[in-house]
Amino acid sequence: PQAASARTDIRDCSVHPPYLPPTATNTTARLAALRGTMRAHGIHAYIVPSTDAHMSEYIAERDSRLGWLTGFTGSAGTGVVTQDKAALWTDSRYWTQAERQLDCNWELQRTIWIESIGLWILEAVPVGGNISLDPFLFSIDTWNSYSQALHGSGRTLLPIETNLVDQVWGDQRPPPASSKIYSLPAAFTGSSWQEKVAGIRQQMEQHIRRPTAVLLSGLEETAWLFNLRGDDIPYNPVFYSYTLLTNTTISLFVDEPRLSAAARQSLRAGCPGPLCVELQEYGQARAHLHRYAQGNVTVWLGTEYTTYGLYGVIPQEKLLEDSYSPVMLAKAVKSTKEQELLRAAHVRDAVAVIQYLLWLEKMVPQGQVDEFSGAQHIDTLRQAQEHSHGPSFQSISASG
């Protein structure tokens, strides 16, 4: 029998010259530029994660640093670059995709354990070397795991606030979002934002540690609290923001010109006073928090969504840490009205799905449908339903 032909859709780095499928990205110039920047900063290894500054599960193109640097577009992974090596760690969902998208500058590591990344770094970086990362792209737990993996190894974990990938990406990097941030109509909210703020303040008062402020870093936390929505991230109705809520003040860090007139009016209605939202520049969150943390204060935060970059400016004794902030937990409990709204949304969606199944039964026997046109059609049917704001993720469709 004839030998099975070698796969042509994945890379082969064992031949000379290496074989790359058309789906692979040439990363030689990008890596050379990054390594030049690393040398200028005295950095021996640089860690690049696949998340944004809010630990979002889905991210905007602008935050897709790992994707730009490696060519790999899977939703989860970590890259590490040294002066002479580059490696990508990802889980089994993405191994085949990585072999299609990476060029031979990259080693593929088929695991996601931080211990394994740490061991690789210890082997690649000599004692006395600096291992660096952007502290605003790592959760507190992930930072601590790297810290532990390198502890006592004679190598230094060095946070550096200028993102080196952004420096190299330069003006090719997609621009920040510019679309409007809008108020959710009252018909679609469980309670007013003023009621939500009052509820969180009550929890602060009743807590044994008496926190003076709650810090919100997760994008859906701020969106939920103020009944605001945006579309900064595809398929996700959120916008870039932080919130610092104290007993008497509310600071919302956001790109203010993007707020719709109605949204701004809703936030400023209680000014001056404890229900007045002070609008501050998105980029000022860290500096503001740093100043606030100088006082006699206790900051309550959820470690799952807070980055080490923000966490690091609050002295340990002024921190109240839970896995999730009180806003994340309040958001998870749906009122009777919210439950009704959820059910109604599912009914509207079910109508679209039933229409789609009928259409499929008619069209498939005619050989008129493939996975892509099918996905486009169900999107169209859903869009036709009242109140539709588009799908919550790209349709995943299969056949056969």
Side-chain angles (χ1 to χ4, degrees), residues 60-107:
E61 231 3 71
R62 178 176 171 79
D63 285 312
S64 176
R65 298 173 179 91
L66 187 68
W68 178 79
L69 185 66
T70 62
F72 168 72
T73 57
S75 70
T78 304
V80 180
V81 177
T82 66
Q83 282 306 330
D84 53 356
K85 286 175 141 177
L88 172 79
W89 284 257
T90 189
D91 65 78
S92 55
R93 291 175 298 170
Y94 292 121
W95 292 344
T96 305
Q97 180 177 338
E99 294 285 8
R100 288 176 181 158
Q101 294 183 319
L102 297 174
D103 66 6
C104 291
N105 288 313
W106 292 89
E107 302 168 15

Short mmCIF file of all heavy atoms in Angstrom, two decimals, residues 60-107:
data_model
loop_
_atom_site.label_atom_id
_atom_site.label_comp_id
_atom_site.label_asym_id
_atom_site.label_seq_id
_atom_site.Cartn_x
_atom_site.Cartn_y
_atom_site.Cartn_z
N ALA A 60 -10.13 42.32 22.65
CA ALA A 60 -10.17 43.09 21.42
C ALA A 60 -8.89 42.84 20.62
O ALA A 60 -7.86 42.44 21.17
CB ALA A 60 -10.29 44.58 21.75
N GLU A 61 -8.97 43.09 19.31
CA GLU A 61 -7.82 42.95 18.41
C GLU A 61 -6.61 43.70 18.96
O GLU A 61 -5.47 43.24 18.89
CB GLU A 61 -8.21 43.60 17.09
CG GLU A 61 -8.04 42.85 15.78
CD GLU A 61 -7.55 41.42 15.80
OE1 GLU A 61 -8.28 40.51 16.21
OE2 GLU A 61 -6.41 41.20 15.37
N ARG A 62 -6.87 44.88 19.52
CA ARG A 62 -5.81 45.75 20.03
C ARG A 62 -5.02 45.08 21.16
O ARG A 62 -3.85 45.39 21.38
CB ARG A 62 -6.47 47.04 20.53
CG ARG A 62 -5.53 48.05 21.14
CD ARG A 62 -6.29 49.32 21.50
NE ARG A 62 -5.45 50.22 22.28
CZ ARG A 62 -4.52 51.01 21.76
NH1 ARG A 62 -4.28 51.00 20.48
NH2 ARG A 62 -3.82 51.81 22.55
N ASP A 63 -5.67 44.17 21.88
CA ASP A 63 -5.00 43.49 23.00
C ASP A 63 -4.46 42.12 22.61
O ASP A 63 -3.93 41.40 23.45
CB ASP A 63 -5.99 43.33 24.17
CG ASP A 63 -6.20 44.64 24.90
OD1 ASP A 63 -5.18 45.29 25.23
OD2 ASP A 63 -7.35 45.02 25.14
N SER A 64 -4.58 41.78 21.34
CA SER A 64 -4.17 40.45 20.91
C SER A 64 -2.66 40.44 20.63
O SER A 64 -2.21 40.21 19.51
CB SER A 64 -4.98 40.10 19.66
OG SER A 64 -4.57 38.89 19.15
N ARG A 65 -1.89 40.70 21.69
CA ARG A 65 -0.43 40.81 21.54
C ARG A 65 0.22 39.48 21.19
O ARG A 65 1.10 39.40 20.35
CB ARG A 65 0.18 41.37 22.83
CG ARG A 65 -0.32 42.76 23.15
CD ARG A 65 0.15 43.25 24.51
NE ARG A 65 -0.32 44.60 24.77
CZ ARG A 65 -1.46 44.89 25.38
NH1 ARG A 65 -2.24 43.92 25.82
NH2 ARG A 65 -1.84 46.14 25.56
N LEU A 66 -0.25 38.42 21.86
CA LEU A 66 0.30 37.09 21.58
C LEU A 66 0.00 36.70 20.14
O LEU A 66 0.85 36.16 19.43
CB LEU A 66 -0.29 36.06 22.55
CG LEU A 66 0.32 34.67 22.49
CD1 LEU A 66 1.77 34.68 22.99
CD2 LEU A 66 -0.50 33.65 23.27
N GLY A 67 -1.21 36.99 19.68
CA GLY A 67 -1.60 36.68 18.30
C GLY A 67 -0.73 37.41 17.29
O GLY A 67 -0.28 36.83 16.30
N TRP A 68 -0.48 38.69 17.56
CA TRP A 68 0.33 39.45 16.62
C TRP A 68 1.78 38.96 16.60
O TRP A 68 2.39 38.81 15.54
CB TRP A 68 0.31 40.94 17.00
CG TRP A 68 1.18 41.75 16.08
CD1 TRP A 68 0.88 42.16 14.82
CD2 TRP A 68 2.51 42.20 16.35
NE1 TRP A 68 1.94 42.85 14.28
CE2 TRP A 68 2.97 42.89 15.20
CE3 TRP A 68 3.37 42.10 17.46
CZ2 TRP A 68 4.23 43.47 15.12
CZ3 TRP A 68 4.62 42.68 17.38
CH2 TRP A 68 5.04 43.35 16.22
N LEU A 69 2.31 38.66 17.78
CA LEU A 69 3.73 38.27 17.87
C LEU A 69 3.99 36.89 17.29
O LEU A 69 5.03 36.65 16.67
CB LEU A 69 4.17 38.31 19.35
CG LEU A 69 5.65 38.05 19.62
CD1 LEU A 69 6.52 39.18 19.05
CD2 LEU A 69 5.90 37.90 21.12
N THR A 70 3.04 35.96 17.48
CA THR A 70 3.27 34.56 17.11
C THR A 70 2.57 34.13 15.84
O THR A 70 2.98 33.17 15.18
CB THR A 70 2.76 33.61 18.22
OG1 THR A 70 1.33 33.80 18.35
CG2 THR A 70 3.43 33.88 19.55
N GLY A 71 1.44 34.80 15.52
CA GLY A 71 0.59 34.33 14.43
C GLY A 71 -0.47 33.37 14.92
O GLY A 71 -1.41 33.04 14.19
N PHE A 72 -0.36 32.92 16.16
CA PHE A 72 -1.32 31.97 16.73
C PHE A 72 -2.54 32.70 17.26
O PHE A 72 -2.41 33.60 18.08
CB PHE A 72 -0.64 31.18 17.87
CG PHE A 72 -1.58 30.37 18.72
CD1 PHE A 72 -2.17 29.21 18.21
CD2 PHE A 72 -1.86 30.75 20.02
CE1 PHE A 72 -3.04 28.46 19.00
CE2 PHE A 72 -2.73 30.00 20.82
CZ PHE A 72 -3.32 28.85 20.30
N THR A 73 -3.74 32.33 16.79
CA THR A 73 -4.94 33.09 17.14
C THR A 73 -5.87 32.37 18.12
O THR A 73 -7.00 32.80 18.33
CB THR A 73 -5.75 33.43 15.87
OG1 THR A 73 -6.07 32.20 15.19
CG2 THR A 73 -4.96 34.33 14.94
N GLY A 74 -5.42 31.27 18.72
CA GLY A 74 -6.25 30.60 19.73
C GLY A 74 -6.51 31.51 20.92
O GLY A 74 -5.77 32.47 21.15
N SER A 75 -7.58 31.21 21.68
CA SER A 75 -7.99 32.13 22.75
C SER A 75 -7.16 31.98 24.02
O SER A 75 -7.30 32.79 24.93
CB SER A 75 -9.47 31.89 23.10
OG SER A 75 -9.61 30.63 23.74
N ALA A 76 -6.33 30.96 24.12
CA ALA A 76 -5.56 30.77 25.35
C ALA A 76 -4.14 30.34 25.03
O ALA A 76 -3.92 29.46 24.20
CB ALA A 76 -6.23 29.70 26.22
N GLY A 77 -3.18 30.97 25.68
CA GLY A 77 -1.79 30.60 25.45
C GLY A 77 -0.86 31.58 26.13
O GLY A 77 -1.28 32.64 26.59
N THR A 78 0.41 31.20 26.22
CA THR A 78 1.44 32.08 26.78
C THR A 78 2.68 31.94 25.92
O THR A 78 3.05 30.82 25.54
CB THR A 78 1.79 31.65 28.23
OG1 THR A 78 0.60 31.65 29.01
CG2 THR A 78 2.81 32.61 28.85
N GLY A 79 3.30 33.07 25.61
CA GLY A 79 4.55 33.03 24.84
C GLY A 79 5.69 33.53 25.70
O GLY A 79 5.51 34.40 26.56
N VAL A 80 6.88 32.95 25.51
CA VAL A 80 8.08 33.46 26.17
C VAL A 80 9.17 33.63 25.11
O VAL A 80 9.40 32.73 24.30
CB VAL A 80 8.58 32.53 27.30
CG1 VAL A 80 9.84 33.12 27.94
CG2 VAL A 80 7.51 32.30 28.35
N VAL A 81 9.81 34.80 25.14
CA VAL A 81 10.86 35.09 24.15
C VAL A 81 12.16 35.38 24.89
O VAL A 81 12.19 36.18 25.84
CB VAL A 81 10.46 36.31 23.28
CG1 VAL A 81 11.59 36.67 22.31
CG2 VAL A 81 9.17 36.03 22.52
N THR A 82 13.24 34.71 24.50
CA THR A 82 14.58 35.04 25.00
C THR A 82 15.39 35.53 23.80
O THR A 82 14.87 35.62 22.69
CB THR A 82 15.28 33.82 25.63
OG1 THR A 82 15.53 32.87 24.59
CG2 THR A 82 14.43 33.19 26.71
N GLN A 83 16.69 35.82 23.99
CA GLN A 83 17.48 36.33 22.87
C GLN A 83 17.65 35.30 21.75
O GLN A 83 17.78 35.66 20.59
CB GLN A 83 18.86 36.82 23.35
CG GLN A 83 18.82 38.20 24.00
CD GLN A 83 18.18 39.29 23.14
OE1 GLN A 83 18.21 39.26 21.92
NE2 GLN A 83 17.57 40.28 23.79
N ASP A 84 17.59 34.01 22.09
CA ASP A 84 17.80 33.03 21.02
C ASP A 84 16.70 31.98 20.91
O ASP A 84 16.80 31.07 20.09
CB ASP A 84 19.17 32.33 21.19
CG ASP A 84 19.32 31.73 22.58
OD1 ASP A 84 18.41 31.92 23.41
OD2 ASP A 84 20.34 31.07 22.83
N LYS A 85 15.66 32.09 21.73
CA LYS A 85 14.57 31.11 21.67
C LYS A 85 13.23 31.78 21.79
O LYS A 85 13.13 32.89 22.34
CB LYS A 85 14.70 30.12 22.84
CG LYS A 85 15.81 29.10 22.73
CD LYS A 85 15.86 28.31 24.02
CE LYS A 85 16.13 26.84 23.76
NZ LYS A 85 16.25 26.11 25.05
N ALA A 86 12.19 31.08 21.33
CA ALA A 86 10.82 31.55 21.54
C ALA A 86 9.93 30.32 21.66
O ALA A 86 10.09 29.36 20.89
CB ALA A 86 10.37 32.42 20.37
N ALA A 87 9.03 30.32 22.63
CA ALA A 87 8.16 29.16 22.84
C ALA A 87 6.74 29.61 23.14
O ALA A 87 6.52 30.68 23.71
CB ALA A 87 8.70 28.30 23.99
N LEU A 88 5.79 28.77 22.72
CA LEU A 88 4.37 29.02 22.98
C LEU A 88 3.80 27.82 23.74
O LEU A 88 3.99 26.68 23.34
CB LEU A 88 3.61 29.18 21.66
CG LEU A 88 2.08 29.24 21.80
CD1 LEU A 88 1.64 30.62 22.24
CD2 LEU A 88 1.39 28.87 20.49
N TRP A 89 3.12 28.12 24.85
CA TRP A 89 2.42 27.09 25.63
C TRP A 89 0.93 27.21 25.35
O TRP A 89 0.37 28.31 25.45
CB TRP A 89 2.65 27.30 27.13
CG TRP A 89 3.99 26.87 27.60
CD1 TRP A 89 4.29 25.72 28.29
CD2 TRP A 89 5.24 27.57 27.47
NE1 TRP A 89 5.65 25.66 28.57
CE2 TRP A 89 6.26 26.78 28.06
CE3 TRP A 89 5.61 28.77 26.87
CZ2 TRP A 89 7.60 27.17 28.11
CZ3 TRP A 89 6.94 29.17 26.90
CH2 TRP A 89 7.92 28.37 27.52
N THR A 90 0.26 26.11 25.00
CA THR A 90 -1.19 26.15 24.87
C THR A 90 -1.77 24.77 25.13
O THR A 90 -1.04 23.78 25.17
CB THR A 90 -1.62 26.69 23.49
OG1 THR A 90 -3.04 26.91 23.50
CG2 THR A 90 -1.29 25.72 22.37
N ASP A 91 -3.10 24.71 25.33
CA ASP A 91 -3.72 23.43 25.70
C ASP A 91 -4.15 22.64 24.46
O ASP A 91 -4.10 23.14 23.34
CB ASP A 91 -4.89 23.68 26.65
CG ASP A 91 -6.01 24.46 25.99
OD1 ASP A 91 -6.79 23.84 25.22
OD2 ASP A 91 -6.12 25.67 26.24
N SER A 92 -4.61 21.41 24.69
CA SER A 92 -4.82 20.45 23.61
C SER A 92 -5.86 20.88 22.58
O SER A 92 -5.85 20.39 21.46
CB SER A 92 -5.23 19.10 24.20
OG SER A 92 -6.37 19.26 25.02
N ARG A 93 -6.75 21.83 22.94
CA ARG A 93 -7.72 22.32 21.94
C ARG A 93 -7.00 22.93 20.74
O ARG A 93 -7.54 22.99 19.65
CB ARG A 93 -8.60 23.42 22.55
CG ARG A 93 -9.57 22.95 23.60
CD ARG A 93 -10.29 24.15 24.21
NE ARG A 93 -9.36 25.07 24.88
CZ ARG A 93 -9.73 26.28 25.32
NH1 ARG A 93 -10.95 26.71 25.14
NH2 ARG A 93 -8.85 27.05 25.95
N TYR A 94 -5.78 23.45 20.98
CA TYR A 94 -5.15 24.33 20.00
C TYR A 94 -3.87 23.79 19.40
O TYR A 94 -3.20 24.48 18.65
CB TYR A 94 -4.86 25.69 20.65
CG TYR A 94 -6.10 26.46 20.99
CD1 TYR A 94 -6.37 26.85 22.29
CD2 TYR A 94 -7.02 26.81 20.00
CE1 TYR A 94 -7.52 27.57 22.61
CE2 TYR A 94 -8.16 27.53 20.30
CZ TYR A 94 -8.41 27.90 21.60
OH TYR A 94 -9.53 28.61 21.90
N TRP A 95 -3.48 22.55 19.72
CA TRP A 95 -2.19 22.06 19.24
C TRP A 95 -2.11 22.03 17.72
O TRP A 95 -1.13 22.46 17.12
CB TRP A 95 -1.89 20.68 19.83
CG TRP A 95 -1.65 20.72 21.31
CD1 TRP A 95 -1.38 21.84 22.07
CD2 TRP A 95 -1.68 19.62 22.23
NE1 TRP A 95 -1.24 21.48 23.40
CE2 TRP A 95 -1.42 20.13 23.53
CE3 TRP A 95 -1.90 18.24 22.08
CZ2 TRP A 95 -1.37 19.32 24.66
CZ3 TRP A 95 -1.86 17.43 23.21
CH2 TRP A 95 -1.60 17.97 24.48
N THR A 96 -3.15 21.51 17.07
CA THR A 96 -3.13 21.43 15.61
C THR A 96 -3.13 22.83 15.00
O THR A 96 -2.37 23.13 14.08
CB THR A 96 -4.36 20.64 15.10
OG1 THR A 96 -4.36 19.37 15.74
CG2 THR A 96 -4.30 20.46 13.59
N GLN A 97 -3.98 23.71 15.57
CA GLN A 97 -4.03 25.10 15.07
C GLN A 97 -2.65 25.77 15.19
O GLN A 97 -2.21 26.46 14.28
CB GLN A 97 -5.08 25.88 15.88
CG GLN A 97 -5.21 27.32 15.44
CD GLN A 97 -6.30 28.05 16.22
OE1 GLN A 97 -7.20 27.43 16.76
NE2 GLN A 97 -6.21 29.36 16.25
N ALA A 98 -1.97 25.54 16.31
CA ALA A 98 -0.65 26.15 16.51
C ALA A 98 0.34 25.64 15.45
O ALA A 98 1.12 26.42 14.90
CB ALA A 98 -0.13 25.85 17.91
N GLU A 99 0.29 24.36 15.14
CA GLU A 99 1.20 23.80 14.13
C GLU A 99 0.90 24.37 12.74
O GLU A 99 1.75 24.38 11.86
CB GLU A 99 1.09 22.27 14.09
CG GLU A 99 1.57 21.56 15.35
CD GLU A 99 3.09 21.52 15.52
OE1 GLU A 99 3.82 22.17 14.73
OE2 GLU A 99 3.54 20.81 16.43
N ARG A 100 -0.31 24.86 12.54
CA ARG A 100 -0.66 25.48 11.26
C ARG A 100 -0.24 26.94 11.20
O ARG A 100 0.00 27.47 10.13
CB ARG A 100 -2.18 25.41 11.03
CG ARG A 100 -2.68 24.02 10.71
CD ARG A 100 -4.20 24.03 10.61
NE ARG A 100 -4.68 22.69 10.32
CZ ARG A 100 -5.91 22.27 10.58
NH1 ARG A 100 -6.78 23.09 11.14
NH2 ARG A 100 -6.27 21.04 10.27
N GLN A 101 -0.24 27.60 12.37
CA GLN A 101 -0.07 29.06 12.37
C GLN A 101 1.34 29.52 12.73
O GLN A 101 1.75 30.60 12.34
CB GLN A 101 -1.09 29.70 13.33
CG GLN A 101 -2.52 29.51 12.86
CD GLN A 101 -3.53 30.19 13.77
OE1 GLN A 101 -3.41 30.16 14.98
NE2 GLN A 101 -4.53 30.83 13.17
N LEU A 102 2.08 28.72 13.51
CA LEU A 102 3.42 29.14 13.94
C LEU A 102 4.44 28.89 12.84
O LEU A 102 4.31 27.92 12.07
CB LEU A 102 3.85 28.36 15.19
CG LEU A 102 3.02 28.55 16.47
CD1 LEU A 102 3.51 27.59 17.55
CD2 LEU A 102 3.09 29.98 16.96
N ASP A 103 5.47 29.73 12.77
CA ASP A 103 6.60 29.39 11.91
C ASP A 103 7.67 28.71 12.77
O ASP A 103 7.46 28.46 13.96
CB ASP A 103 7.13 30.61 11.14
CG ASP A 103 7.74 31.67 12.05
OD1 ASP A 103 7.87 31.43 13.28
OD2 ASP A 103 8.09 32.76 11.53
N CYS A 104 8.82 28.42 12.17
CA CYS A 104 9.80 27.59 12.90
C CYS A 104 10.65 28.39 13.90
O CYS A 104 11.57 27.84 14.51
CB CYS A 104 10.65 26.80 11.92
SG CYS A 104 9.65 25.53 11.09
N ASN A 105 10.34 29.68 14.08
CA ASN A 105 10.98 30.44 15.16
C ASN A 105 10.46 29.99 16.53
O ASN A 105 11.07 30.28 17.55
CB ASN A 105 10.68 31.94 15.02
CG ASN A 105 11.44 32.56 13.85
OD1 ASN A 105 12.63 32.34 13.69
ND2 ASN A 105 10.72 33.32 13.02
N TRP A 106 9.30 29.31 16.53
CA TRP A 106 8.60 29.01 17.79
C TRP A 106 8.62 27.52 18.11
O TRP A 106 8.35 26.69 17.24
CB TRP A 106 7.14 29.48 17.69
CG TRP A 106 7.05 30.96 17.64
CD1 TRP A 106 7.08 31.75 16.51
CD2 TRP A 106 6.96 31.86 18.75
NE1 TRP A 106 7.01 33.07 16.85
CE2 TRP A 106 6.93 33.18 18.23
CE3 TRP A 106 6.90 31.68 20.13
CZ2 TRP A 106 6.85 34.30 19.04
CZ3 TRP A 106 6.81 32.80 20.95
CH2 TRP A 106 6.79 34.09 20.40
N GLU A 107 8.93 27.21 19.38
CA GLU A 107 8.73 25.84 19.87
C GLU A 107 7.30 25.77 20.41
O GLU A 107 6.88 26.70 21.10
CB GLU A 107 9.65 25.54 21.06
CG GLU A 107 11.13 25.69 20.83
CD GLU A 107 11.89 25.66 22.18
OE1 GLU A 107 11.31 25.24 23.20
OE2 GLU A 107 13.05 26.09 22.19
#
